[in-house]
Amino acid sequence: MRRKALVIIAILVIVAPFGAVWWLVRDELAIVRADAAVAPKVPAQMKAALIASEGPIFDTRPQSFVVNPFRGRNLVSGGATAATVLARWTTPRRRMLRWHLETALVAFAISREFSGDEVLRVYAHRAYLGRGIEGVEQASRAYFAKPASSLTFAEAATIAGMVRSPHYLSPVNHPDRALDRRNKVLKRMRELRSITEQQYRDSVREELRVNPALRISQQAGR
């Protein structure tokens, strides 16, 4: 009987901190769960482009989501994980130290509750892509007047390339920069064997054409 009680106490000591983490970040997790419920499937070419553009943050191996609570960093690659990025988007801004600690807890909880593919899907649904546009599906329709599933490799690479700096790399505001960034993403897609050599050559030769309505609205706003 005494041994059984000791086992129960040991289990509670181990499990209790994790329960506390989930309780502390319940509101942020609720936001991610709601996004996961409505986020559409990411088409293959868009997924490949995001992985090529953003690199190891989309590593779906379980160890890639180990979070250092003091740095909020990926201990495998040294960079922020996609779970950490989602945590930053959903955690209310507070004093710097408190915000970093809460973000680390949210990232930890996200990485334990959601698979790597689910995190990527929510990330693609929430990413800000300029001009008030949120998510790759909205961006596909706004910039190229088509659903994400119909994007070419070059168009998918253009959208994925914008994630880091939506205004600076906008195909509407700065087409030369967007083209250069697009081609770098395509090169990385080739290196990762997401596309063939021929698909890469065809894609880098593809003209950068954006939705004419966006250019008209930009000119009208000047």
Side-chain angles (χ1 to χ4, degrees):
M1 186 71 178
R2 182 179 177 183
R3 184 178 178 182
K4 184 177 180 181
L6 288 173
V7 171
I8 293 172
I9 291 171
I11 291 172
L12 288 173
V13 169
I14 294 171
V15 173
F18 291 93
V21 168
W22 259 253
W23 184 84
L24 287 170
V25 301
R26 62 192 184 282
D27 292 338
E28 289 80 3
L29 278 179
I31 294 172
V32 179
R33 289 185 190 121
D35 283 334
V38 299
K41 182 179 178 181
V42 183
Q45 72 275 31
M46 192 71 248
K47 181 177 179 179
L50 283 170
I51 291 172
S53 175
E54 299 308 299
I57 74 167
F58 290 122
D59 190 340
T60 56
R61 294 174 298 171
Q63 67 266 31
S64 72
F65 290 107
V66 177
V67 175
N68 181 333
F70 299 103
R71 295 178 62 198
R73 295 284 178 169
N74 178 344
L75 299 185
V76 173
S77 70
T81 65
T84 305
V85 176
L86 291 184
R88 290 170 183 166
W89 289 345
T90 56
T91 305
R93 282 281 179 179
R94 309 182 194 280
R95 290 186 176 181
M96 189 59 68
L97 179 60
R98 180 181 173 183
W99 182 76
H100 279 298
L101 289 172
E102 289 185 2
T103 297
L105 288 175
V106 174
F108 176 83
I110 289 173
S111 66
R112 290 302 180 272
E113 180 165 335
F114 300 93
S115 69
D117 283 339
E118 287 172 326
V119 170
L120 186 149
R121 186 160 53 85
V122 175
Y123 181 97
H125 180 62
R126 288 289 303 270
Y128 179 70
L129 291 158
R131 308 177 75 85
I133 298 164
E134 193 172 277
V136 298
E137 186 62 42
Q138 283 189 24
S140 301
R141 296 179 184 278
Y143 289 107
F144 298 108
K146 63 175 73 171
S149 59
S150 299
L151 292 174
T152 65
F153 289 116
E155 290 166 343
T158 301
I159 291 174
M162 293 173 62
V163 172
R164 294 186 185 182
S165 184
H167 177 76
Y168 184 81
L169 297 170
S170 167
V172 178
N173 299 327
H174 305 288
D176 291 341
R177 295 173 189 168
L179 188 64
D180 180 66
R181 177 65 183 152
R182 180 200 78 174
N183 290 344
K184 287 178 179 177
V185 174
L186 287 168
K187 181 180 179 182
R188 183 59 180 154
M189 290 172 72
R190 181 190 62 181
E191 291 170 352
L192 293 173
R193 298 184 180 180
S194 301
I195 56 176
T196 65
E197 181 65 31
Q198 188 58 53
Q199 286 171 328
Y200 167 74
R201 292 177 182 177
D202 292 341
S203 296
V204 295
R205 286 196 293 261
E206 185 176 313
E207 185 181 348
L208 181 60
R209 300 189 189 93
V210 297
N211 185 358
L214 284 181
R215 293 197 185 278
I216 294 171
S217 64
Q218 183 187 38
Q219 291 169 359
R222 289 176 179 174

